[in-house]
Amino acid sequence: MILAPTITQRLNRARGDMRMGVPVVLADQGSSALVVAVEALDRDGLATLRAMGQPEIALTERRATTLKARAYDGDLARLWVPPDVDAAWIRALADPSGDMRHPMKGPLRSVRDGAPDLHRAAVMLAKSAHLLPAALVVPVANGLALASTHNLTFIALAEAGPALQLSSPLHEVTSARLPMTASQAGRVHIFRPEDGTEEHYAIEIGQPDRSAPVLARLHSACFTGDVLGSLKCDCGPQLHAALGLMGAEGQGVLLYLNQEGRGIGLANKMRAYSLQDQGFDTVEANHRLGFEDDERDFRIGADILRRMGFGSVRLMTNNPRKIAMMESCGLRVVERVPLHVGQTDQNAAYLATKATKSGHLL
């Protein structure tokens, strides 16, 4: 057994640090920087970081577009932090909740010199921690020594790059029989990723033949729809209708993937809902927060199905992207089974946006 944590374990430690406002040290090709999630930045933290050097804010191009800031790095904008602004001003650049009350946040000066790799990694870490995709970045000398002196997590991008991009391997932890309303012949399997992120679940109905295409659904967790019965989406009705159809056929697998809010987390999903109350549709709200239309990783679902012994599926979905991802991961989709349920007056605009902007087949 090796006592030192692996890069995967250190990345998960870094996510926890960022959620608590603890700085993380990133390094790449002789350069290093202290990074803090903007969402967790407070007055004392800003003062400490300013004493270390000149801070810069790293934002996604989506958020930069809303702020009318130049994103010289394509997918990323680096903004210079004036010496007279406070932590609240910096947080307002990342959080769109006050955009309508205070639309003018500039003038904003974009940074274009130097490499953006540390800034990009900082934003990716914030995203994977389900925080707003924005980080305060302060270039420092000898990041490894700084991390050792202050007991900070140190991440070298040469090690972390592949781990940040790849889908973490999953392992089944346990399974147990679970009689359900949809079927008394139910079993729940728990899968845990190696990177310490959320576990995912496979609900197996009956005993599907592994040599035949299995009726399957990839269902992303939706606390508001699945648990609270939200009328703003069709998630809860889709969940129960899918299980009901599998129960009627006597077999099937529903994958319950913990990718709330299309992969941005429940807190950011509620932020998006607040923006929808201001008149933005679901895609526009995600963009104003700095996210893409859909941040989910459907490779997780393909991995679970393969580990359960399935090679082909009858996929219950309205989303062509799920079909493309399944097939790109080596799973054959022999049939798309539509799932048109849960339409309400309250979610009509949401469903229309999914059809027109996200390509859902409604």
Side-chain angles (χ1 to χ4, degrees):
M1 176 181 179
I2 300 175
L3 293 178
T6 66
I7 184 59
T8 297
Q9 292 163 336
R10 279 186 280 129
L11 280 169
N12 198 40
R13 183 180 292 178
R15 294 184 189 98
D17 289 345
M18 293 192 79
R19 290 179 67 87
M20 295 184 291
V22 177
V24 172
V25 179
L26 301 182
D28 186 48
Q29 298 182 352
S31 300
S32 53
L34 277 168
V35 303
V36 174
V38 167
E39 180 177 337
L41 184 67
D42 59 19
R43 182 184 61 184
D44 292 340
L46 177 59
T48 299
L49 291 171
R50 274 201 168 114
M52 305 295 296
Q54 171 59 47
E56 298 171 357
I57 302 170
L59 298 167
T60 66
E61 184 274 337
R62 292 293 192 187
R63 181 63 184 150
T65 296
T66 296
L67 296 171
K68 304 296 189 290
R70 298 294 295 272
Y72 289 115
D73 302 310
D75 62 333
L76 191 75
R78 293 174 285 155
L79 305 180
W80 181 76
V81 178
D84 57 341
V85 301
D86 59 13
W89 185 89
I90 295 172
R91 288 196 302 270
L93 290 186
D95 188 349
S97 60
D99 283 357
M100 302 300 283
R101 295 190 304 273
H102 305 288
M104 299 301 294
K105 292 184 170 62
L108 301 174
R109 181 175 132 194
S110 293
V111 177
R112 62 190 308 175
D113 297 327
D117 302 304
L118 297 178
H119 300 70
R120 183 173 289 112
V123 170
M124 290 176 67
L125 268 177
K127 265 190 181 185
S128 64
H130 290 165
L131 300 168
L132 288 167
L136 198 70
V137 180
V138 180
V140 294
N142 200 342
L144 182 59
L146 182 66
S148 178
T149 299
H150 296 280
N151 196 27
L152 301 176
T153 302
F154 178 84
I155 302 292
L157 297 198
E159 280 187 284
L164 281 171
Q165 297 288 348
L166 297 176
S167 183
S168 178
L170 291 152
H171 302 283
E172 184 169 359
V173 179
T174 188
S175 69
R177 186 179 67 86
L178 181 68
M180 297 174 288
T181 302
S183 172
Q184 293 191 34
R187 176 170 288 272
V188 175
H189 304 255
I190 308 299
F191 287 85
R192 181 176 296 160
E194 290 182 359
D195 64 4
T197 53
E198 296 92 345
E199 295 169 348
H200 305 283
Y201 321 128
I203 296 91
E204 185 175 12
I205 302 297
Q207 296 180 322
D209 183 355
R210 266 55 178 175
S211 66
V214 63
L215 180 62
R217 172 161 174 79
L218 277 62
H219 186 90
S220 298
C222 178
F223 171 74
T224 51
D226 299 342
V227 178
L228 302 182
S230 168
L231 300 177
K232 285 177 65 69
C233 65
D234 55 346
C235 301
Q238 284 189 326
L239 170 64
H240 296 292
L243 287 172
L245 182 55
M246 292 175 186
E249 291 200 5
Q251 62 85 33
V253 176
L254 185 140
L255 304 183
Y256 197 88
L257 308 179
N258 277 308
Q259 300 190 106
E260 181 82 44
R262 296 200 210 112
I264 66 177
L266 184 58
N268 287 321
K269 174 180 169 179
M270 290 299 98
R271 290 181 169 122
Y273 275 11
S274 180
L275 293 174
Q276 290 173 36
D277 288 340
Q278 296 178 22
F280 300 102
D281 67 35
T282 182
V283 170
E284 292 166 343
N286 269 26
H287 290 177
R288 292 187 76 87
L289 285 165
F291 294 103
E292 295 301 316
D293 304 16
D294 196 333
E295 297 275 353
R296 289 174 293 182
D297 185 357
F298 294 125
R299 294 175 298 180
I300 296 169
D303 190 12
I304 292 175
L305 286 168
R306 282 198 307 269
R307 288 179 182 275
M308 293 181 70
F310 298 105
S312 60
V313 296
R314 297 165 54 220
L315 194 61
M316 201 179 304
T317 186
N318 303 323
N319 185 354
R321 184 168 169 253
K322 289 183 181 179
I323 298 173
M325 182 57 72
M326 290 294 99
E327 293 183 334
S328 72
C329 292
L331 281 171
R332 191 164 58 97
V333 180
V334 301
E335 179 187 1
R336 182 185 77 87
V337 180
L339 193 60
H340 297 156
V341 294
Q343 293 91 342
T344 68
D345 291 341
Q346 293 88 342
N347 67 26
Y350 164 77
L351 295 177
T353 299
K354 282 173 61 171
T356 57
K357 293 189 175 182
S358 301
H360 286 225
L361 302 173
L362 301 176

